[in-house]
Amino acid sequence: MRVDINSDTGESFGAYTIGHDAGLFRSITSANVAAGFHAGDPSVLRATIRLANGHGVAVGAHPGFADLVGFGRRELNVTPQEAEDLVLYQIAAVAGVAAAEGVKIQHVKPHGALFNMAVRDAELATAIARAVAAFDRTLILFGLPGSEILNAGRAAGLRVAAEVFADRAYEPDGSLASRRKPGSVIHDPAAVVARAVRMVRERTVVAADGSVVALEADTICVHGDTPGSDDLAAKIRAGLESAGISVKAIGVQ
Amino acid sequence: MRVDINSDTGESFGAYTIGHDAGLFRSITSANVAAGFHAGDPSVLRATIRLANGHGVAVGAHPGFADLVGFGRRELNVTPQEAEDLVLYQIAAVAGVAAAEGVKIQHVKPHGALFNMAVRDAELATAIARAVAAFDRTLILFGLPGSEILNAGRAAGLRVAAEVFADRAYEPDGSLASRRKPGSVIHDPAAVVARAVRMVRERTVVAADGSVVALEADTICVHGDTPGSDDLAAKIRAGLESAGISVKAIGVQ
Amino acid sequence: MRVDINSDTGESFGAYTIGHDAGLFRSITSANVAAGFHAGDPSVLRATIRLANGHGVAVGAHPGFADLVGFGRRELNVTPQEAEDLVLYQIAAVAGVAAAEGVKIQHVKPHGALFNMAVRDAELATAIARAVAAFDRTLILFGLPGSEILNAGRAAGLRVAAEVFADRAYEPDGSLASRRKPGSVIHDPAAVVARAVRMVRERTVVAADGSVVALEADTICVHGDTPGSDDLAAKIRAGLESAGISVKAIGVQ
Amino acid sequence: MRVDINSDTGESFGAYTIGHDAGLFRSITSANVAAGFHAGDPSVLRATIRLANGHGVAVGAHPGFADLVGFGRRELNVTPQEAEDLVLYQIAAVAGVAAAEGVKIQHVKPHGALFNMAVRDAELATAIARAVAAFDRTLILFGLPGSEILNAGRAAGLRVAAEVFADRAYEPDGSLASRRKPGSVIHDPAAVVARAVRMVRERTVVAADGSVVALEADTICVHGDTPGSDDLAAKIRAGLESAGISVKAIGVQ
């Protein structure tokens, strides 16, 4: 039994700092590195890749909308072609900077609104998968279990990874509960750890209504921009390992 | 006897159009493609690479300052590290998008103020050369003959190409005459063609004061953002070929 | 009988040029001036206001989304508060630069996707109207007849102006036909002029299915970013005046 | 005896937070509010103005270069016309948003590299003063004592305010010691307070070499983006008041 732990990283921008990358890199196994559109800049990108690599953390591209003020979290009505070109550009930038640091990138995880839109928009999902495949067919595409993006990734011949959120409530249909609902974010670290272990061992989660829902769990997302995220990541990793689960980057054999 | 003809391309941005790329690609042999910082966007970048490749024109990265409103033409007091990261990022983006289109990039030419500052600023020039070498030691670095950027490129083990401007007046010391001086831009196509031929055949140019100046001439720059630039490029190419000079991309054996 | 003619202006950005403002200003009576978010920059804004004022054209603010690469034409899922602050900022910038040029602005017309979203989204429309009213209750708010933005403007105590498009097809319900439909843009100048005259004299338009639809027509929009837009504007104005219609800025007594 | 205390505020941007504005507003009397170019965004701007006003802190515009990733701290080779238009736009935006909140702005303080360049570049300083005067001749222009910007402000008929830095070392000629020199920033709060009191009471400062230098001191700048800046501001204010100095916004009678 094994699982990957991923987190969004490299989100600082110029004089602005977000996240606790150095702390997270002690516990996570895959870093989704911002590419300068919704967050990050060329110097932050390079420093983040060096830091991840120094900690043995696998690097992935984390493309998002060119909406820095909105942190890529606002839906933007792009055409599929725009999405494809946007994603290809950002993968290229991250992969090329990584290559200059001696690192081959492992995966691609769309960010924020782009990630959410690709859950249900098959045309957008196909455009994203096309960009990934055009760049490198060995990259692993991250997305929600059951989402259009994973379907599109498979259809494009890509390896995909189903991502779960141990600190978020789920609906009975396996979708994430909206952040606006009370209780949608789970703050108790012990509960988060227990959910993570269950997700990996049993491939299930207890939904908000108490029902048990099956879900794939290849990689667990830890949010990096909340206070204490590095501690939470450490606890999740320790809890998984105590339960006999091997925590390794998804691309490691 | 041979020479390359290069031009800045891919400078359109969203709804904004600059240049006559399709026309230029009939005559030039190397395209300096903007990377989205001083000009260009992800969709323009990709379309420009496709268009260049379809015309058999070699592709290069054209990194510039992140100053879209100034078109990268205003000097910005970056640190050498910022310059290195900025250039590496932009090379990575262009090279990666090109690779997805089946194209290996040939060269790097800094843009505008970054190009001009690297003529005389050895520290900046070294930072740029370091970025190029970190990405790919087979890339050819373009710069003015006698400039710090060519020195830095050679010191970094890169192949360099000396660039001349057939439509610009030169000072007796071999530097370009300032655009503010009367007569600094030569508008008569026949004169431009004659200068281009002389630069390649004799490795000299007649300076503004009538003196004859020696200069290296591996590649001739044609400005793409002036009306009629595609016609001028065609005339220069025809003039060179009539004079028995082979016009080929710099990287072609 | 009278009518206003408006056009989007000030859309150039740095080295990038869009539109034919100088030509348009000979015929239009109200200029919607971009504020630097979806188009325009501080120097273009100021020059456009001077040019409009020199031609006796009334100035309005034309706020849009901060999406330069998308020219403000892509829907962006902003909160009402973000929309209100975005619109207030842009009105402030245009009005303040205009004041420094001795000009009091007359109106506000949201741009592109923001304009379109405010046709049907009452909450967004209310946020926009709140921004206008917070800045200056004497400003006139432009929008489609029957739209939520005009309702919101009236509810906020603002004077509103119903805007029509003489070169666009209408649906039987009075909405604009989608640009994707064949025939949705009318290219024959004579037909456009005839439609403009009818809209003002009879307050009706012949819809795509031949039915006659009633609509308010306080101001006619002429698109500024299409070739020949200055000629079309001149023809529309001449046609209106030949039909005995007075062409004056909406805010002129 | 009286003095003003000013600080740069409103520097957060979207999801990115910089500064401790709420804490600072308990002690300072004038807020330099970023306008969205080097820092700030439309929502941050408005919220900052509300917060300042709620604390009885006077509001000023803090225009800077359009260089968000460089936080406006990198010299950019703008033309005087570009500088004038850039400053006018940003004053207009801040003043207009403030007006919608019932606040008349009091002053203008250029930011970062623009501020530093205007110390010695008379042409740039004149352009900035022209923008301020074009907008509102009653605005107070902040700058270093002895700088070109204060000369230009006076020449334009503006009231000016000489600004001092209690936590920075001075050279014997009255200029600020470079941040690169050891000891250029004074970290001991008691020393900073003592310097502030001396600057206001005696109009002198002890320079880095021990010599006593005369300088004007209308307003004391407290840096807002350093940890503990709100505490330091409180100590400076308390120290000044204990010394019998009245701490009031510069524009208050």
Side-chain angles (χ1 to χ4, degrees):
Chain A
M1 239 176 335
R2 63 180 280 180
V3 78
D4 179 46
I5 305 178
N6 80 78
S7 191
D8 298 352
T9 64
E11 294 179 329
S12 295
F13 180 84
Y16 295 98
T17 301
I18 281 193
H20 311 83
D21 292 358
L24 279 173
F25 287 157
R26 290 195 294 264
S27 306
I28 69 171
T29 48
S30 292
N32 319 313
V33 188
F37 279 57
H38 70 275
D41 67 44
S43 295
V44 166
L45 171 62
R46 194 175 188 189
T48 303
I49 289 168
R50 282 186 181 177
L51 193 64
N53 193 37
H55 284 80
V57 174
V59 170
H62 193 44
F65 287 129
D67 176 25
L68 186 68
V69 75
F71 208 63
R73 287 177 177 155
R74 306 185 297 191
E75 297 201 355
L76 181 70
N77 186 24
V78 294
T79 65
Q81 186 65 52
E82 287 171 337
E84 184 181 332
D85 295 343
L86 190 73
V87 169
L88 173 59
Y89 181 102
Q90 295 183 57
I91 297 172
V94 175
V97 173
E101 296 295 331
V103 175
K104 185 183 176 318
I105 68 167
Q106 167 195 257
H107 69 284
V108 175
K109 175 179 164 181
H111 171 80
L114 183 62
F115 181 92
N116 292 334
M117 290 165 75
V119 169
R120 54 185 193 280
D121 182 335
E123 202 182 359
L124 177 67
T126 299
I128 294 171
R130 202 158 46 219
V132 178
F135 187 77
D136 180 351
R137 290 184 179 279
T138 71
L139 293 173
I140 303 169
L141 182 57
F142 284 23
L144 286 189
S147 65
E148 291 294 344
I149 188 76
L150 293 201
N151 295 341
R154 284 188 201 100
L158 299 170
R159 180 172 165 197
V160 299
E163 182 181 37
V164 293
F165 296 80
D167 63 348
R168 293 284 302 279
Y170 279 77
E171 298 290 353
D173 67 354
S175 67
L176 285 173
S178 164
R179 281 179 179 274
R180 288 179 205 144
K181 289 196 181 177
S184 66
V185 178
I186 297 154
H187 296 288
D188 174 27
V192 174
V193 171
R195 287 169 77 84
V197 171
R198 178 177 185 143
M199 283 167 162
V200 182
R201 293 183 75 164
E202 305 186 11
R203 306 281 150 175
T204 60
V205 67
V206 178
D209 68 349
S211 60
V212 175
V213 180
L215 86 178
E216 294 298 301
D218 298 319
T219 183
I220 299 172
C221 182
V222 178
H223 290 101
D225 56 349
T226 46
S229 57
D230 42 357
D231 284 345
L232 184 60
K235 284 178 180 147
I236 293 173
R237 181 167 188 151
L240 291 164
E241 291 180 336
S242 298
I245 296 162
S246 170
V247 178
K248 283 189 208 170
I250 184 89
V252 170
Q253 298 281 314
Chain B
M1 241 179 330
R2 65 181 277 181
V3 78
D4 179 47
I5 305 177
N6 80 78
S7 191
D8 298 353
T9 63
E11 293 180 330
S12 294
F13 179 84
Y16 295 99
T17 300
I18 279 192
H20 312 83
D21 292 359
L24 280 173
F25 287 158
R26 291 195 292 265
S27 306
I28 69 170
T29 48
S30 292
N32 318 313
V33 188
F37 279 58
H38 70 277
D41 68 44
S43 295
V44 166
L45 171 61
R46 193 175 189 190
T48 303
I49 289 169
R50 282 186 182 177
L51 193 65
N53 192 40
H55 284 79
V57 174
V59 170
H62 193 43
F65 288 130
D67 176 25
L68 187 67
V69 75
F71 207 63
R73 286 177 176 154
R74 306 185 298 189
E75 296 201 356
L76 182 70
N77 186 24
V78 294
T79 65
Q81 185 65 52
E82 287 171 338
E84 184 181 332
D85 295 342
L86 189 72
V87 169
L88 173 58
Y89 180 101
Q90 295 181 58
I91 297 172
V94 175
V97 173
E101 295 295 332
V103 175
K104 185 183 177 316
I105 67 166
Q106 167 196 257
H107 69 284
V108 175
K109 176 180 164 180
H111 171 80
L114 183 62
F115 181 92
N116 292 333
M117 291 166 73
V119 169
R120 55 186 192 278
D121 181 337
E123 202 181 0
L124 177 67
T126 299
I128 295 171
R130 203 158 45 220
V132 179
F135 187 77
D136 180 352
R137 289 183 180 281
T138 71
L139 293 173
I140 303 169
L141 182 58
F142 283 23
L144 285 190
S147 65
E148 291 294 345
I149 187 76
L150 293 202
N151 294 340
R154 285 189 201 98
L158 298 171
R159 181 173 166 198
V160 299
E163 183 180 37
V164 293
F165 295 79
D167 63 349
R168 293 285 301 278
Y170 279 78
E171 299 290 353
D173 68 355
S175 67
L176 285 174
S178 164
R179 280 179 180 273
R180 288 178 205 146
K181 288 195 182 178
S184 67
V185 178
I186 297 154
H187 296 288
D188 173 26
V192 174
V193 171
R195 287 170 77 85
V197 171
R198 179 177 184 144
M199 283 168 162
V200 182
R201 295 184 73 164
E202 306 186 9
R203 307 279 149 176
T204 61
V205 67
V206 178
D209 69 348
S211 61
V212 175
V213 182
L215 86 177
E216 295 297 302
D218 299 319
T219 183
I220 299 172
C221 182
V222 178
H223 290 101
D225 56 349
T226 44
S229 57
D230 44 355
D231 284 346
L232 184 60
K235 283 177 181 149
I236 292 173
R237 179 164 191 157
L240 291 164
E241 291 180 336
S242 298
I245 297 162
S246 171
V247 179
K248 284 189 207 168
I250 185 86
V252 170
Q253 298 281 314
Chain C
M1 242 179 326
R2 63 181 280 180
V3 78
D4 179 45
I5 305 177
N6 80 79
S7 192
D8 298 353
T9 64
E11 294 179 331
S12 294
F13 180 84
Y16 295 98
T17 301
I18 281 192
H20 311 84
D21 292 359
L24 279 173
F25 288 157
R26 291 195 293 266
S27 306
I28 69 171
T29 48
S30 292
N32 318 313
V33 188
F37 280 57
H38 70 276
D41 68 44
S43 295
V44 166
L45 170 62
R46 194 176 188 189
T48 303
I49 289 168
R50 282 186 181 176
L51 193 64
N53 193 38
H55 284 80
V57 174
V59 169
H62 192 43
F65 287 130
D67 176 26
L68 186 68
V69 76
F71 208 63
R73 287 177 176 155
R74 306 185 299 190
E75 297 201 356
L76 181 70
N77 186 24
V78 294
T79 65
Q81 185 66 52
E82 286 171 338
E84 183 180 334
D85 295 343
L86 189 73
V87 169
L88 173 59
Y89 180 102
Q90 295 182 58
I91 297 172
V94 175
V97 173
E101 296 294 333
V103 175
K104 185 182 178 315
I105 67 167
Q106 168 196 258
H107 69 285
V108 175
K109 175 179 163 181
H111 171 80
L114 182 62
F115 181 91
N116 292 333
M117 291 165 74
V119 169
R120 53 186 192 279
D121 181 334
E123 203 182 0
L124 177 67
T126 300
I128 295 171
R130 203 158 45 219
V132 178
F135 187 77
D136 180 351
R137 289 184 181 280
T138 70
L139 293 173
I140 302 168
L141 181 58
F142 283 22
L144 286 191
S147 64
E148 291 294 345
I149 187 76
L150 293 201
N151 295 339
R154 285 188 200 100
L158 299 170
R159 181 174 166 196
V160 299
E163 183 181 37
V164 293
F165 296 79
D167 62 349
R168 292 285 301 279
Y170 279 77
E171 299 290 354
D173 68 354
S175 66
L176 285 174
S178 164
R179 280 179 180 275
R180 289 179 204 144
K181 289 196 182 175
S184 67
V185 178
I186 297 155
H187 296 287
D188 173 27
V192 174
V193 171
R195 287 169 78 84
V197 171
R198 179 177 184 144
M199 284 167 161
V200 182
R201 293 183 75 164
E202 305 186 10
R203 306 282 152 174
T204 60
V205 68
V206 177
D209 68 347
S211 61
V212 175
V213 180
L215 87 178
E216 295 297 301
D218 298 318
T219 182
I220 299 173
C221 182
V222 177
H223 290 101
D225 56 350
T226 45
S229 57
D230 43 357
D231 284 346
L232 184 60
K235 283 177 182 150
I236 292 173
R237 180 165 189 155
L240 290 164
E241 291 180 335
S242 297
I245 297 162
S246 170
V247 179
K248 283 191 208 168
I250 185 89
V252 170
Q253 299 282 314
Chain D
M1 242 179 328
R2 63 180 278 179
V3 78
D4 179 46
I5 304 177
N6 80 79
S7 191
D8 298 352
T9 63
E11 293 179 330
S12 295
F13 179 84
Y16 296 99
T17 301
I18 281 192
H20 312 84
D21 292 0
L24 279 172
F25 288 156
R26 291 195 292 265
S27 306
I28 68 171
T29 47
S30 292
N32 318 312
V33 188
F37 280 57
H38 70 277
D41 69 43
S43 295
V44 166
L45 171 62
R46 194 176 189 189
T48 304
I49 289 169
R50 282 186 181 176
L51 193 64
N53 193 39
H55 284 79
V57 174
V59 170
H62 193 43
F65 287 130
D67 176 24
L68 186 67
V69 75
F71 206 63
R73 288 177 175 155
R74 306 185 299 191
E75 296 201 356
L76 181 70
N77 187 24
V78 294
T79 65
Q81 185 66 52
E82 287 171 338
E84 184 180 332
D85 296 342
L86 190 72
V87 168
L88 173 58
Y89 181 101
Q90 294 181 56
I91 297 172
V94 175
V97 173
E101 296 294 332
V103 175
K104 185 183 176 316
I105 67 166
Q106 168 196 257
H107 70 284
V108 175
K109 176 179 164 182
H111 171 81
L114 184 61
F115 181 92
N116 292 333
M117 291 166 74
V119 169
R120 54 186 193 281
D121 182 335
E123 203 182 359
L124 178 66
T126 300
I128 294 171
R130 204 160 41 223
V132 178
F135 187 77
D136 180 352
R137 290 184 179 280
T138 71
L139 293 173
I140 303 169
L141 181 57
F142 283 23
L144 286 189
S147 65
E148 291 294 345
I149 187 76
L150 293 201
N151 294 340
R154 285 187 200 99
L158 298 170
R159 181 175 166 195
V160 299
E163 183 181 38
V164 293
F165 295 79
D167 63 350
R168 292 287 299 280
Y170 278 77
E171 299 290 354
D173 68 355
S175 67
L176 284 174
S178 164
R179 280 180 179 273
R180 289 178 205 146
K181 290 196 181 177
S184 67
V185 178
I186 297 154
H187 295 288
D188 174 26
V192 174
V193 171
R195 287 169 77 84
V197 171
R198 179 177 184 142
M199 284 168 162
V200 182
R201 294 183 75 164
E202 305 185 9
R203 306 280 150 176
T204 61
V205 68
V206 178
D209 69 348
S211 61
V212 174
V213 181
L215 85 178
E216 294 298 302
D218 298 320
T219 182
I220 299 172
C221 182
V222 178
H223 290 102
D225 55 350
T226 45
S229 57
D230 43 355
D231 284 345
L232 185 60
K235 283 176 181 149
I236 292 173
R237 180 163 190 157
L240 291 164
E241 291 180 336
S242 298
I245 297 161
S246 169
V247 179
K248 283 190 209 169
I250 185 87
V252 170
Q253 298 282 314

